[in-house]
Structure formats: structure tokens, C-alpha cells
Amino acid sequence: MNSNQDNESSKSVLSSKKKDKQSLSGSKNLDDRLTSLDANLKKHHIMRDDETKAGGLNDNSGFAYGLKLGSEFVSAILVGAFIGWAFDTWFQTIPFGLIVFLILGFAAGVLNVMRATGQMQESGSGSK
Amino acid sequence: MGSLGGVELSMTNSALFMIATTVATCGFLMLATGSRGLIPSRMQSIAEICYDFVAKTLRDSAGKDGMVFFPLVFSLFMFVLVANLFGMFPYFFTVTSHIIVTFALAMLVIMTVILYGFVKHGFGFLGLFVPSGIPAAVLPMVVVIEIISFLSRPISLSVRLFANMLAGHITLKVFAGFITSLSTAGIVGIAGATLPFAMTVALTGLEFLVAFLQAYVFTVLTCMYLSDAVHPNH
């Protein structure tokens, strides 16, 4: 008998909870649920981000990666050569500007590639 | 056809497909966001996914202040993506496989970076070229290298998109050409032609991936460069 009553009361608690859910009257309860939902969503997002990052690395073909680094490297040399050529035509110093800026462009190309592969950031944060 | 100040301005197939890309993008987005349902329809979901995707990319790399560039970045992403995907239709023209188009887009980005940087930070923007913790003796050389590195950005940005699209489409066409030339060589050739045919099918799938990937890469790099304009001293 007693146990039956207990059961009844717990049932009523349950039903009241249900009502709360339906009417959304318990604002504190709702807030709690919202924050927990938020946390869950964040966790989910982080997991998904990790997944996409790993996937992106996997299906990023070697061809695309090579093209990326190649364009970084070559473009800097081209810019260096162009600046050297423009310098020479302005100041009539025909080979020297080209030589100097080609070498600087080469250095900038190496810098670009190191930045693109993320080696630059590590050493930068180390020196800071 | 027409000319303006000695420069020929004619309607080329490149111009036609750029207009088609713009019209298709605008038309799709207007149609998709027209209903503005609380529960999005399929079309609206696609538009919202595009929005969220670009907004997240921009916020992750340029921060909250970078969101002023959202209209630019979103337009660029949609233009490149739709132009790339248009190139996947047979007999269509791939606008992004021409370097002058991608170079114009890249120059637009870099000019925005330079103008916004100078307007927002004045000469403090030049601090971008002076890395911290460098001894004074080598500083001039490092600054020149940094400037060349900065100037090479529009070139590498445009060359990457252009080269990927061009190389992909050329590979596709070469393999498709193998099919016809092999199938002239009798019954053995026809049997052998199934191999490049299978390759063409696989490459078409790969090209769809490349179309998305390169639009994304272009957007990410744009965001990174814009981030330099927003925070030059980091």
C-alpha cells in the first residue's frame, strides 16, 4: 500500500515535470537546459571541427599541396625579378638591381614556403 | 565591337560567363532567402550553410573586427565557387581558369588590405613589414624581404586558383582525348578505351572536389590577408 502510494507520488512528480516541459513555465529549469544544450553543442562542434581538419589533411592531394608551395615560392622570385628590373630601368644600373632583388626574392620565396608549412610560426613563437 | 579610349571592350565568352555566374549566384540567393522560414526549406538551408561557413572562416582568422569584410568575402567565395562549378558543365567556359580573372580578384583583395590598413592604422600599417626581435643590422634586408613577400601574395593567390582549375581541366581533356584516339584502333582499342574512360569519370569527381576546395582556399587566404589589415602588429 505504502509503496503504491510512493509510486503514485513519484508519478505525479513526473507528470508535473512533464507539464513544466510543455508549458516552459520553470524559467530556471529552462535556462539550465539551455546552458547544458549549449555545452553539448560546443562539444559537438569541437569534435566536428577536429574531424573536418583531419579529413582536410587526408584528402588534400599531394598535387594541390605541391602547387600551393610552388606558387608561393615562384611568385616571390617573380616579384623580386620585376622589382629588380624596374630598379634597373629607372637608375640605369643594368645587372646589379636584378641580381640583388632576385636574391632577395629568393629569400622571400623561402620565407613564404616556411610560412605556408608553418615552420615560421614555431620559431617565431619560440623567440618571443 | 565596342571600344572605350582605345581599349577594346567586347562581349567575350569570358564576360558572358562572369555575368552568368553573378546572375546565377544572386538569383539563387534571392530565391533561397525569399521565404525566410523559421524552419528553412532545402534552398534556404543551402544559403544558410554558405553564410555560416564563410562567417565562421572569416571569424576564425580575422576575428570579430574582421566581420566588416563579410560582404566582400562572401561575394568572392560565392563568385569563385559558382564559377568553378559552372566550369564542370560540358561546353561551358571556366572563368577561373584564366589568370587575368583570378589576378583581378586577388588584386581586389590586396588593394582592400592596403587601403583599409592605411585608413585604419595610418603609417602604423607599415609595422606589418617590421617583425619584432630582429637585430638592427639586418633589419633593412628583412624589411625588403617582407615587402617582396607581401607583394607576392596576389600572384600566389591568383596563380594557385588559376593553375588548379587549368591543370584539372587539361587533365580531364587529355584523358577524354585518349578515349577517342584509342577507340579508332580497332576492337582492342575500344576495349582499352574503357581505362581512360574510367579515369575521366574519376577525374570528374575529383574536379568537383577541387572546385570546392579551391574556392575555400581562396577564401581562407583572403581572410588571412584581411586579418593583417585589421591587426597589423601581431
Side-chain angles (χ1 to χ4, degrees):
Chain A
M1 188 72 195
N2 200 7
S3 73
N4 203 4
Q5 237 176 6
D6 235 322
N7 210 357
E8 199 88 332
S9 73
S10 76
K11 238 181 206 168
S12 78
V13 164
L14 262 180
S15 76
S16 79
K17 247 187 192 169
K18 224 178 202 172
K19 245 181 212 163
D20 250 355
K21 253 180 205 172
Q22 277 166 353
S23 64
L24 303 175
S25 62
S27 68
K28 196 173 177 201
N29 191 13
L30 181 69
D31 277 351
D32 283 355
R33 283 196 353 246
L34 273 178
T35 46
S36 77
L37 178 69
D38 230 30
N40 275 340
L41 273 177
K42 243 175 216 156
K43 222 187 277 167
H44 191 72
H45 270 295
I46 288 164
M47 264 161 62
R48 211 172 51 183
D49 283 356
D50 285 352
E51 265 168 35
T52 50
K53 257 171 207 163
L57 275 180
N58 278 337
D59 63 20
N60 198 359
S61 63
F63 173 72
Y65 194 61
L67 207 61
K68 179 186 164 204
L69 295 185
S71 69
E72 291 275 8
F73 186 59
V74 170
S75 63
I77 294 177
L78 286 180
V79 169
F82 177 76
I83 292 175
W85 174 80
F87 187 88
D88 279 343
T89 45
W90 275 339
F91 299 103
Q92 306 286 324
T93 52
I94 201 65
F96 301 107
L98 200 57
I99 292 169
V100 170
F101 278 98
L102 255 180
I103 292 169
L104 286 176
F106 182 83
V110 174
L111 179 71
N112 275 352
V113 171
M114 284 174 78
R115 274 211 181 113
T117 51
Q119 290 177 18
M120 200 63 197
Q121 245 139 19
E122 279 166 34
S123 69
S125 65
S127 72
K128 268 172 204 167
Chain B
M1 281 168 141
S3 69
L4 190 76
V7 181
E8 201 180 299
L9 286 179
S10 39
M11 187 73 182
T12 56
N13 52 359
S14 178
L16 176 71
F17 275 97
M18 275 189 262
I19 292 169
T21 304
T22 315
V23 169
T25 313
C26 292
F28 167 71
L29 285 176
M30 276 151 100
L31 208 69
T33 55
S35 62
R36 288 188 199 157
L38 192 61
I39 299 162
S41 59
R42 277 181 207 151
M43 292 260 277
Q44 197 184 333
S45 292
I46 296 173
E48 281 175 7
I49 287 167
C50 292
Y51 175 92
D52 274 348
F53 181 66
V54 177
K56 190 176 175 298
T57 311
L58 184 56
R59 208 177 288 122
D60 282 354
S61 54
K64 223 175 174 184
D65 306 327
M67 287 305 279
V68 287
F69 293 115
F70 181 75
L72 172 75
V73 175
F74 187 71
S75 310
L76 274 174
F77 174 73
M78 289 307 280
F79 183 81
V80 173
L81 178 65
V82 174
N84 286 352
L85 288 178
F86 261 26
M88 295 311 297
F89 284 98
Y91 297 104
F92 271 37
F93 183 85
T94 318
V95 179
T96 43
S97 68
H98 280 222
I99 191 155
I100 190 66
V101 176
T102 57
F103 188 66
L105 294 176
M107 281 313 280
L108 175 73
V109 172
I110 292 299
M111 283 300 162
T112 311
V113 169
I114 292 172
L115 283 180
Y116 184 84
F118 273 118
V119 168
K120 191 85 191 289
H121 304 282
F123 285 100
F125 179 62
L126 294 177
L128 183 65
F129 303 122
V130 188
S132 55
I134 301 282
V138 291
L139 196 61
M141 219 158 88
V142 170
V143 168
V144 173
I145 291 173
E146 286 280 345
I147 289 173
I148 294 176
S149 167
F150 181 81
L151 291 178
S152 73
R153 280 172 177 184
I155 296 178
S156 68
L157 187 60
S158 54
V159 164
R160 188 171 311 152
L161 178 59
F162 146 79
N164 267 295
M165 295 317 290
L166 187 74
H169 283 252
I170 286 177
T171 323
L172 207 55
K173 270 154 202 163
V174 166
F175 274 102
F178 281 164
I179 301 173
T180 43
S181 41
L182 262 178
S183 56
T184 55
I187 196 83
V188 184
I190 289 174
T194 53
L195 291 174
F197 183 68
M199 197 67 192
T200 311
V201 172
L203 277 174
T204 309
L206 183 72
E207 276 306 290
F208 274 106
L209 177 76
V210 168
F212 277 102
L213 200 68
Q214 287 307 313
Y216 174 63
V217 166
F218 195 89
T219 314
V220 167
L221 286 170
T222 302
C223 292
M224 275 168 58
Y225 298 160
L226 289 172
S227 153
D228 279 348
V230 180
H231 334 273
N233 311 306
H234 60 93

